[in-house]
Amino acid sequence: MPFITYLSGLLTAQMLSDDHLISGVEIHCEEKGRCPSTCHLCRRPGKEQLSPTPVLLEINRVVPLYALIQDNDTREAFKGALMSSYWCSGKGDVIEDWCRCDLNAFDENGLPSCSPLPPPVLSPWPSSTVVSLEWLDVQPAIGAKVSDYVLQHKKVDEYTDTDLYTGESLSFADDLLSGLATSCVAAGRSHGDVPETSIYSVIFKCLEPDSLYKFTLYAVDTRGRHSEPSTVTLRTACPLVDDSKAEEIADKIYNLYNGYTSGKEQQTAYNTLMEVSASMLFRVQHHYNSHYEKFGDFVWRSEDELGPRKAHLILRRLEKVSSHCSTLLRSAYIQSRTETMPYLFCRSEEVRPPGMVWYSVLKDTKVTCEEKMVSMLRNTYGESKGRIKASPF
């Protein structure tokens, strides 16, 4: 048996037949040759004595550990103990394809807890256009099957991790696949490298820019049990800025501040600066200081021309820009481009009656999927026009 076949045997350990590995193995090997004496790995630095010569082995048989026991009763007892330990946390017995839990293996809700539902692993898909998340199906080999996944998102404070906004919990089966979710969220299902493995995905297209979001996912089985949650925290892309427009506004503000500033000109400058977004205001300040700082920087000139109160109302908006985006907004050049990303949009073919208790297995749900494209404008940043690069977020 080639070594890769042996590794494949280990990966299929969940199979319950006697022909597959459960836990522990006896390995029979035969020698297939030795390393040549010229091999530098056989010599230790500073030592004339050779290290023990490695032997090349080929595995030709792998058997479950309990198969080595000759007595039938002992072998069956050992097999049951191994399977209980592997599948039922040692707190129940494997009966066909489910765990019969012991009387002391129930949770506070009265649900069996000896075979906990594996937690899904939530992974962000690299994209600077939208927030895209995916995870592998955690369908257990035995026991209650996964009937749904629930995904919740929260906007959190960057420094205190407190919730600023809590989005609704979205059921993958009830909300996303049924089409009840908004056009800002889309769900997909595809196959992994192994045909029996499903990959689920969700994209969020309408989250606030330059914000920190925490995403939490857990699985629900057909008995109503929840898995342990999986959590990731992501920052959304920086808001789009029109760099040419920002430079025009900076020139306009300088001309309004230059010389005697009448009440009308003061009001025009104030309205102009209050109408732009916080990110645009940050870029206007950058251009103003780049071109006209020798006549007084943006903050000092605004306080001098508009007065402390109005200047404070304008300048405190700059605090809304994160340190990450403020660094990018100080770049010498900012350009805009359209970025396009493909995604799967899946809908369930089954109509679920209102109020019906849903005990079906999620992976058995028939869905219709189509590939769509999402296009969004985004900025690229650089210190010279020839070396523009995209933000990693």
Side-chain angles (χ1 to χ4, degrees), residues 15-261:
M15 303 300 291
L16 301 181
S17 67
D18 289 346
D19 296 332
H20 291 80
L21 175 70
I22 295 298
S23 178
V25 293
E26 176 195 44
I27 302 175
H28 292 263
C29 303
E30 64 180 52
E31 184 177 329
K32 302 296 289 185
R34 294 177 178 271
C35 292
S37 59
T38 56
C39 176
H40 69 281
L41 297 177
C42 299
R43 299 180 180 275
R44 291 181 293 179
K47 301 282 187 179
E48 295 184 1
Q49 181 182 1
L50 293 178
S51 300
T53 304
V55 178
L56 305 179
L57 302 176
E58 182 180 50
I59 299 170
N60 52 44
R61 192 176 71 177
V62 177
V63 296
L65 189 60
Y66 57 75
L68 305 178
I69 301 175
Q70 300 300 317
D71 180 73
N72 289 339
D73 292 338
T74 305
R75 180 169 64 248
E76 288 303 312
F78 190 29
K79 176 181 177 180
L82 286 173
M83 294 174 65
S84 173
S85 174
Y86 191 87
W87 296 113
C88 311
S89 305
K91 300 177 181 178
D93 300 316
V94 175
I95 307 297
E96 295 182 351
D97 64 346
W98 58 282
C99 279
R100 182 181 64 192
C101 295
D102 297 338
L103 294 177
N104 62 347
F106 287 79
D107 61 22
E108 63 274 8
N109 299 316
L111 297 174
S113 60
C114 68
S115 58
L117 194 60
V121 179
L122 194 58
S123 302
W125 184 255
S127 170
S128 55
T129 305
V130 296
V131 172
S132 180
L133 305 167
E134 68 177 27
W135 64 93
L136 281 173
D137 191 17
V138 293
Q139 201 68 249
I142 67 172
K145 306 302 183 183
V146 173
S147 65
D148 199 5
Y149 291 97
V150 177
L151 180 63
Q152 184 182 57
H153 66 282
K154 299 179 180 180
K155 183 180 177 182
V156 297
D157 182 81
E158 182 173 1
Y159 302 103
T160 63
D161 200 37
T162 54
D163 296 348
L164 300 178
Y165 160 79
T166 301
E168 60 182 331
S169 295
L170 296 172
S171 160
F172 196 87
D174 292 348
D175 299 325
L176 299 177
L177 289 182
S178 66
L180 295 180
T182 68
S183 59
C184 291
V185 187
R189 186 178 76 181
S190 59
H191 293 297
D193 297 334
V194 180
E196 294 78 14
T197 303
S198 295
I199 298 177
Y200 296 99
S201 61
V202 175
I203 70 166
F204 292 84
K205 296 181 282 185
C206 305
L207 298 179
E208 293 182 30
D210 193 19
S211 300
L212 207 61
Y213 283 89
K214 180 182 291 185
F215 299 88
T216 302
L217 175 76
Y218 61 86
V220 182
D221 70 11
T222 51
R223 294 178 178 176
R225 297 184 307 166
H226 293 184
S227 72
E228 290 295 318
S230 173
T231 301
V232 296
T233 302
L234 299 173
R235 177 173 295 283
T236 51
C238 299
L240 188 72
V241 297
D242 185 336
D243 198 37
S244 298
K245 183 67 174 177
E247 193 165 13
E248 290 176 8
I249 294 175
D251 293 339
K252 177 182 177 180
I253 296 301
Y254 169 75
N255 291 328
L256 290 171
Y257 286 174
N258 190 26
Y260 171 74
T261 306

Side-chain angles (χ1 to χ4, degrees), residues 209-210 235 278-279 315-323 325:
D210 193 19
R235 177 173 295 283
S279 295
L315 297 173
R316 73 175 182 180
R317 299 175 60 227
L318 297 175
E319 299 173 1
K320 297 179 181 179
V321 183
S322 69
S323 58
C325 289

